[in-house]
Amino acid sequence: MYKQYLSAALLAAGLAATTPAAAQNSYFFPAAQAADFDPAIPTPEQFLGYPIGSHYTRSDQIVAYLRELDRLSDKVSTRVIGKTYEERPQLVATITATENQQRLPQLQAERRGLTDPSQPAPAYAKLPVVVSLNFGVHGNESSSSEAALLLAYYLTASRSPETQRWLRESVVTIDPLENPDGRDRASHWFDQNKSWPAVTDPLDREHTEAWPGGRTNHFYTDLNRDWLALVHPESRARMAFYHEWYPNVLIDFHEMGTNGTYYFEPSKPHSTENDLVPRSTYEVLNVHLAKYFAGALDQLGSLYWTKEQFDNLSPIYGSTYPDFQGGVGITFEVGSSRGLAQEGSNGVVKFPFTIRNHVATGLATVRGAVEEKELYLKAQRDFFTSALTEARKFPTKAYVFGSAQDPTLTNKLLETLLLHHVQVHELGQNVTLDKQTFTKGAAYVVPTSQPQYRIVNSLFEELTAFHDSVFYDVTGWALSHAYGLPIAKQKTAALVQGAPLTAPRKLTGNVVGGQSNYAYLLPWSDYNAPKALVALQQAGVVGKVAFKPFAAGTKEGGKTDYGYGTLVVPVAAQKLPADSVFRVVSRVAQQAQVTFTGVSTGFSVGGIDLGSNNVRAVPEAKAALLVGTGTNASEVGEVWYHASQQLGLPLSKIELANFGKAPLGRYSALVLVGGVYTALDRPAVERLRRWVQEGGTLITIKNASEWALKQGLVTEKLLIPAGTSWADTAATKGSVAAARRADFVTQEQEGTRAIAGSIYRADVDLTNPIAFGLTDRNLYVFRNGTTFLKPSRNPYATVVRYADKPLVSGYASKGNVQKISNSAAVVVSKLGTGRVVLFADDPVFRSYWHGTARLLSNALLLGPLLNVPEGAAAPTAAEEAE
C-alpha cells in the first residue's frame, strides 16, 4: 500500500525515477549523481516515510531528522539554543568538515579578529567563511523548512569533491525552524485539509488558512520584525547564537504570493537601503552572490526578479540585521503553493517545485560564499574598522539613559543593548542633562565609539530623511524611544568611565523597613507595579491607588515623594492577618522585582494622607478581548502578550462569533483591537452599550475606535469621518500580500498617503489615571494607522494629544503630519457609569513600545476608577453644524 501511495505521490510531483531515494535526489539535486551520496545517510524521505513535497513535515520530525544526521555523521552537530512558548525546541545544526567540527570554539575565537578592530586581522585564507541558512520565520511559508532537510542531507551525504571543499572552507549553520509554533499551526492545517488528487482551486479550504494562520508565533507576533527589539524567547535565543559566529552570509528563506516567481537581492537601490551600511554591502557583496543565485535558477528554468521591492532599510529583519554586523543578509522569496498545489498566473504551483527552488539557491549560497570567501571575510573586518571611523565623525559621542523611578524599564533596555553586544558603562556620578536628572547606580552611558556603532545609532537616533516615500514596513525604529525613559545625547565621551558591563543588573524585589502593621507603598512609576497589583489581588490582598501625590516621612527624618497612582496596601483593611499580608507582599515584591516600603503612619508630611478619599481601592480586573476573523491578529497578540506576560492578568479571548453568548457582566474591561466588526449587529452593539453604561470599560484601538464612534457609543469625533479615512497600512501579512498582488505603480502613487510606521511626540495629562506612572509630559507615540481623533470638547477627557510639530522619526507626508498635529492620541469618554477609552494608535506596538503600554495597563486595571469630570467647553459653530 505504501509503495502504491509513494508512486502516486512521486508522479504527481513530477519525480520519475526507479527508487524513492533516487527520485528525490534527481528532482531536488538535478546536477548531482546518485552515486555521489553516502548510502549510510538516509534521505529525508527514507527517514520520514513519505516523499518531500507530498506532506507537510511537523517540527518534531524536522528536529528528529537533524538529530539523526548528527548521530550518523561527524560532519554534523546539533544544539538546542532555546525553546518556544509552546515548549518546542529551537534546534540548530552546524555542518562542516570533521576537522572543523572538532575545533568550533577555536574557530570562533580566531574569527574575533573580524569583529574586534583591536585585534590583528586574521589570515583570511585559513579561516572558514560562515554561512547561516535560516528557515521558516513565518510558519506558514512552509517550503523553506522542507528545503532545510534536503540541504542538510546534501551537505552531509554528498561525497563530491566540491562539497568536501565547501565543508573544509565553511561552517554552515542551519536553523530549520525559526518559528516552530507557527510551523506546526500551519502544517496541521495544510495536512488536515489536503486532498488526493490535489485541489488547485485557490478558494479551496487547504489554501485559505483560518484566522490567525501560521505566520506568527504563539502570541501572533511576526518574528521577522523582532530582530532589533528582541521581545520573544525565539529571537533572544537566536540572537545569542548569532553573536557566537557573526555569519558572513545569512539567508532568510520565505514565500510570497502564488502569482510571484522567485525573489533574491539586490533590492531596490538607495530607496530600500540604509545609509549607515557601507555601499559595498549593496553594490559588491549582494551583487557577487546574486550571480550564483541566478545561475542556479537558470539551470532549473525558474523565473526570478530582483531590485524592485522589499528592503534593507532597518535592522529589524533577519535578512537585514547581518548588514549591520559586517555580513550580508539576503531574503529569498518563492511563489508559494500554500498547500500541495495551487493555480496562479504562472500556472499551477506545486509544493515540490517551491522546495526545489529554495534548495537550488541554498546550495548556490554555500558555493558563492566559498568561492568568494576572502571578499566576505575581509569585508567584515573592514566593516567593524570603519565603524570606529564613522563614530569619530559623528557629533554625538555618548547617550545617557535611565530612571531611578523605573529600574525595571531601565534594566530591560540595558538587557536588550547587551544582547546586541553593545558596550554599555555604568554612570559614575549624578548629573543633570537636558533638564533631566540621571542618578549614579540607576543610569548608564553608551559610547558611540565602539564596533557596534551602527547598531547604537539605529537604536538611539532619529531619522526623517529618506530616498523614497514608498516603504515595505516601519520607518521609525529608534528602540530607545519606545521605553519612555529619560535619554540625553552628549557631544563628549567624558561620562564614559570604567569597563563595559558584561551583564544587566539583577533586580531583587524587597520590602524596605520590614513588616508593617499599617501600610506598604509602591511607586506606580515602576513598570512592574501593575504586575505587582495583579499578583496581590490574586493572593486576596486589597490594593489601593493614590489619585494625588503625597510625601511620606522616613525613619531618618527625611521624606520620600510619591506620585500619581502610588500603590497603597493598607494592612488593617485586609482579610488576612498582618503577618500573612507581609508574606504576600514580600513574595510579590520578589516575583515582580519591585521595592515596597513599609510605613507606620498614614499621616503624610506633604499632600494627601493615606486615609483620604483620593486613595481608592482597585477592584480585581476581569478582562476580555475580542478575537477571530475580522480582527487584526498581530494586535490581538500584542494585547494578549501584554496582559499575560507583563501583567500576569488572565485575559479571556472571545471569538467574535461567540459575542452573543458572552456573559458581559463577568468582565470589567473589554478590548477591541483594529479590525472589521460587521459581525456585531445592532442588537450586539446595544448589548455592548448597556454593559458600558452599567460600569464596564471598553478599550478600542485604532480603527476599532472609529467603529465605536460610528456606532454612536460615545460622542467624540474624528478628524476624518469614519469610513472615509485612508486604509490602514500597518504591515500585517494581509496588507503585504495585497501589496504584492497590486499593480506596483499604484503602490508608488498611494505610498505617500500611507503612514508606514513612525514615531511622534505627544503631550500627556499626568493627572489622568490612564497616564498614572508616567513622570514626564513628553511621550513618544508610535503610529502606523490613519485613525485621526479630535481632541474632546471636555478638556479633562483628552489624555494624550499630539504636539504641534509631532514627527520625531520616520516618514510621513506633510499632509499626514498636519492631520496628526494637535490631534488626540487617547481620549476617555464617559457613558453612563462606564467609560470608553479610545486609542488612535496601538499602545503595545509589537510588544516593545513600553512607554505607551503603561496606558493600556492603566485602562485595564484602573478603568473602574475612571470618572471623567464634567468640563465641556462650548462647541464651535463648525462642531454644532456637524
Side-chain angles (χ1 to χ4, degrees), residues 616-633:
R616 303 171 191 171
V618 184
E620 187 172 357
K622 301 290 185 182
L625 168 68
L626 292 190
V627 306
T629 302
T631 63
N632 184 304

PDB file of all heavy atoms in Angstrom, residues 616-633:
ATOM      1  N   ARG A 616      -7.973  55.144  46.548  1.00  0.00           N
ATOM      2  CA  ARG A 616      -9.162  54.361  46.219  1.00  0.00           C
ATOM      3  C   ARG A 616      -8.813  52.894  45.957  1.00  0.00           C
ATOM      4  O   ARG A 616      -7.820  52.588  45.278  1.00  0.00           O
ATOM      5  CB  ARG A 616      -9.856  54.944  44.986  1.00  0.00           C
ATOM      6  CG  ARG A 616     -10.221  56.410  45.170  1.00  0.00           C
ATOM      7  CD  ARG A 616     -10.711  57.047  43.891  1.00  0.00           C
ATOM      8  NE  ARG A 616     -10.802  58.507  44.045  1.00  0.00           N
ATOM      9  CZ  ARG A 616     -11.037  59.345  43.065  1.00  0.00           C
ATOM     10  NH1 ARG A 616     -11.218  58.880  41.814  1.00  0.00           N
ATOM     11  NH2 ARG A 616     -11.098  60.642  43.273  1.00  0.00           N
ATOM     12  N   ALA A 617      -9.637  52.025  46.461  1.00  0.00           N
ATOM     13  CA  ALA A 617      -9.437  50.587  46.270  1.00  0.00           C
ATOM     14  C   ALA A 617      -9.653  50.213  44.810  1.00  0.00           C
ATOM     15  O   ALA A 617     -10.575  50.714  44.153  1.00  0.00           O
ATOM     16  CB  ALA A 617     -10.394  49.808  47.164  1.00  0.00           C
ATOM     17  N   VAL A 618      -8.807  49.329  44.316  1.00  0.00           N
ATOM     18  CA  VAL A 618      -8.886  48.897  42.919  1.00  0.00           C
ATOM     19  C   VAL A 618      -9.562  47.530  42.865  1.00  0.00           C
ATOM     20  O   VAL A 618      -9.045  46.563  43.428  1.00  0.00           O
ATOM     21  CB  VAL A 618      -7.488  48.803  42.281  1.00  0.00           C
ATOM     22  CG1 VAL A 618      -7.613  48.442  40.804  1.00  0.00           C
ATOM     23  CG2 VAL A 618      -6.718  50.100  42.461  1.00  0.00           C
ATOM     24  N   PRO A 619     -10.729  47.426  42.249  1.00  0.00           N
ATOM     25  CA  PRO A 619     -11.359  46.107  42.122  1.00  0.00           C
ATOM     26  C   PRO A 619     -10.529  45.198  41.233  1.00  0.00           C
ATOM     27  O   PRO A 619      -9.819  45.660  40.338  1.00  0.00           O
ATOM     28  CB  PRO A 619     -12.716  46.426  41.496  1.00  0.00           C
ATOM     29  CG  PRO A 619     -12.547  47.748  40.835  1.00  0.00           C
ATOM     30  CD  PRO A 619     -11.524  48.495  41.616  1.00  0.00           C
ATOM     31  N   GLU A 620     -10.599  43.906  41.490  1.00  0.00           N
ATOM     32  CA  GLU A 620      -9.820  42.957  40.696  1.00  0.00           C
ATOM     33  C   GLU A 620     -10.296  42.967  39.250  1.00  0.00           C
ATOM     34  O   GLU A 620     -11.500  42.879  38.976  1.00  0.00           O
ATOM     35  CB  GLU A 620      -9.939  41.552  41.280  1.00  0.00           C
ATOM     36  CG  GLU A 620      -9.024  40.548  40.609  1.00  0.00           C
ATOM     37  CD  GLU A 620      -8.994  39.210  41.318  1.00  0.00           C
ATOM     38  OE1 GLU A 620      -9.647  39.070  42.367  1.00  0.00           O
ATOM     39  OE2 GLU A 620      -8.313  38.291  40.813  1.00  0.00           O
ATOM     40  N   ALA A 621      -9.358  43.090  38.326  1.00  0.00           N
ATOM     41  CA  ALA A 621      -9.699  43.189  36.906  1.00  0.00           C
ATOM     42  C   ALA A 621     -10.108  41.833  36.346  1.00  0.00           C
ATOM     43  O   ALA A 621      -9.484  40.813  36.638  1.00  0.00           O
ATOM     44  CB  ALA A 621      -8.521  43.742  36.121  1.00  0.00           C
ATOM     45  N   LYS A 622     -11.146  41.844  35.554  1.00  0.00           N
ATOM     46  CA  LYS A 622     -11.597  40.679  34.785  1.00  0.00           C
ATOM     47  C   LYS A 622     -11.726  41.153  33.340  1.00  0.00           C
ATOM     48  O   LYS A 622     -12.707  41.806  32.979  1.00  0.00           O
ATOM     49  CB  LYS A 622     -12.944  40.162  35.297  1.00  0.00           C
ATOM     50  CG  LYS A 622     -12.943  39.739  36.755  1.00  0.00           C
ATOM     51  CD  LYS A 622     -12.146  38.472  36.980  1.00  0.00           C
ATOM     52  CE  LYS A 622     -12.258  38.010  38.431  1.00  0.00           C
ATOM     53  NZ  LYS A 622     -11.446  36.794  38.684  1.00  0.00           N
ATOM     54  N   ALA A 623     -10.727  40.873  32.534  1.00  0.00           N
ATOM     55  CA  ALA A 623     -10.654  41.474  31.200  1.00  0.00           C
ATOM     56  C   ALA A 623     -10.911  40.449  30.109  1.00  0.00           C
ATOM     57  O   ALA A 623     -10.652  39.250  30.272  1.00  0.00           O
ATOM     58  CB  ALA A 623      -9.284  42.117  30.997  1.00  0.00           C
ATOM     59  N   ALA A 624     -11.421  40.958  28.981  1.00  0.00           N
ATOM     60  CA  ALA A 624     -11.684  40.117  27.816  1.00  0.00           C
ATOM     61  C   ALA A 624     -11.234  40.854  26.563  1.00  0.00           C
ATOM     62  O   ALA A 624     -11.102  42.085  26.549  1.00  0.00           O
ATOM     63  CB  ALA A 624     -13.164  39.760  27.731  1.00  0.00           C
ATOM     64  N   LEU A 625     -11.011  40.088  25.522  1.00  0.00           N
ATOM     65  CA  LEU A 625     -10.504  40.603  24.243  1.00  0.00           C
ATOM     66  C   LEU A 625     -11.259  39.908  23.129  1.00  0.00           C
ATOM     67  O   LEU A 625     -11.333  38.664  23.105  1.00  0.00           O
ATOM     68  CB  LEU A 625      -8.997  40.321  24.149  1.00  0.00           C
ATOM     69  CG  LEU A 625      -8.287  40.519  22.807  1.00  0.00           C
ATOM     70  CD1 LEU A 625      -8.256  41.996  22.434  1.00  0.00           C
ATOM     71  CD2 LEU A 625      -6.858  39.971  22.895  1.00  0.00           C
ATOM     72  N   LEU A 626     -11.823  40.670  22.200  1.00  0.00           N
ATOM     73  CA  LEU A 626     -12.490  40.064  21.051  1.00  0.00           C
ATOM     74  C   LEU A 626     -11.448  39.642  20.026  1.00  0.00           C
ATOM     75  O   LEU A 626     -10.555  40.430  19.676  1.00  0.00           O
ATOM     76  CB  LEU A 626     -13.485  41.037  20.424  1.00  0.00           C
ATOM     77  CG  LEU A 626     -14.724  41.375  21.262  1.00  0.00           C
ATOM     78  CD1 LEU A 626     -15.733  42.150  20.428  1.00  0.00           C
ATOM     79  CD2 LEU A 626     -15.376  40.121  21.843  1.00  0.00           C
ATOM     80  N   VAL A 627     -11.563  38.410  19.550  1.00  0.00           N
ATOM     81  CA  VAL A 627     -10.581  37.851  18.622  1.00  0.00           C
ATOM     82  C   VAL A 627     -11.310  37.147  17.493  1.00  0.00           C
ATOM     83  O   VAL A 627     -12.523  37.023  17.487  1.00  0.00           O
ATOM     84  CB  VAL A 627      -9.646  36.851  19.347  1.00  0.00           C
ATOM     85  CG1 VAL A 627      -8.995  37.486  20.574  1.00  0.00           C
ATOM     86  CG2 VAL A 627     -10.404  35.582  19.769  1.00  0.00           C
ATOM     87  N   GLY A 628     -10.529  36.680  16.531  1.00  0.00           N
ATOM     88  CA  GLY A 628     -11.075  35.875  15.457  1.00  0.00           C
ATOM     89  C   GLY A 628     -11.168  36.629  14.152  1.00  0.00           C
ATOM     90  O   GLY A 628     -10.688  37.761  14.019  1.00  0.00           O
ATOM     91  N   THR A 629     -11.774  35.985  13.176  1.00  0.00           N
ATOM     92  CA  THR A 629     -11.870  36.532  11.827  1.00  0.00           C
ATOM     93  C   THR A 629     -12.442  37.940  11.860  1.00  0.00           C
ATOM     94  O   THR A 629     -13.500  38.186  12.441  1.00  0.00           O
ATOM     95  CB  THR A 629     -12.764  35.636  10.960  1.00  0.00           C
ATOM     96  OG1 THR A 629     -12.219  34.314  10.947  1.00  0.00           O
ATOM     97  CG2 THR A 629     -12.819  36.168   9.534  1.00  0.00           C
ATOM     98  N   GLY A 630     -11.707  38.857  11.250  1.00  0.00           N
ATOM     99  CA  GLY A 630     -12.105  40.250  11.236  1.00  0.00           C
ATOM    100  C   GLY A 630     -11.212  41.106  12.105  1.00  0.00           C
ATOM    101  O   GLY A 630     -11.083  42.307  11.863  1.00  0.00           O
ATOM    102  N   THR A 631     -10.587  40.517  13.111  1.00  0.00           N
ATOM    103  CA  THR A 631      -9.704  41.282  13.983  1.00  0.00           C
ATOM    104  C   THR A 631      -8.263  41.167  13.494  1.00  0.00           C
ATOM    105  O   THR A 631      -7.877  40.179  12.867  1.00  0.00           O
ATOM    106  CB  THR A 631      -9.792  40.794  15.439  1.00  0.00           C
ATOM    107  OG1 THR A 631      -9.340  39.437  15.519  1.00  0.00           O
ATOM    108  CG2 THR A 631     -11.205  40.903  15.964  1.00  0.00           C
ATOM    109  N   ASN A 632      -7.462  42.177  13.797  1.00  0.00           N
ATOM    110  CA  ASN A 632      -6.060  42.188  13.411  1.00  0.00           C
ATOM    111  C   ASN A 632      -5.300  41.239  14.347  1.00  0.00           C
ATOM    112  O   ASN A 632      -5.148  41.510  15.538  1.00  0.00           O
ATOM    113  CB  ASN A 632      -5.507  43.610  13.521  1.00  0.00           C
ATOM    114  CG  ASN A 632      -4.077  43.721  13.050  1.00  0.00           C
ATOM    115  OD1 ASN A 632      -3.198  43.019  13.541  1.00  0.00           O
ATOM    116  ND2 ASN A 632      -3.831  44.615  12.110  1.00  0.00           N
ATOM    117  N   ALA A 633      -4.820  40.124  13.801  1.00  0.00           N
ATOM    118  CA  ALA A 633      -4.204  39.091  14.630  1.00  0.00           C
ATOM    119  C   ALA A 633      -2.977  39.611  15.371  1.00  0.00           C
ATOM    120  O   ALA A 633      -2.747  39.258  16.532  1.00  0.00           O
ATOM    121  CB  ALA A 633      -3.834  37.883  13.774  1.00  0.00           C
TER     122      ALA A 633
END
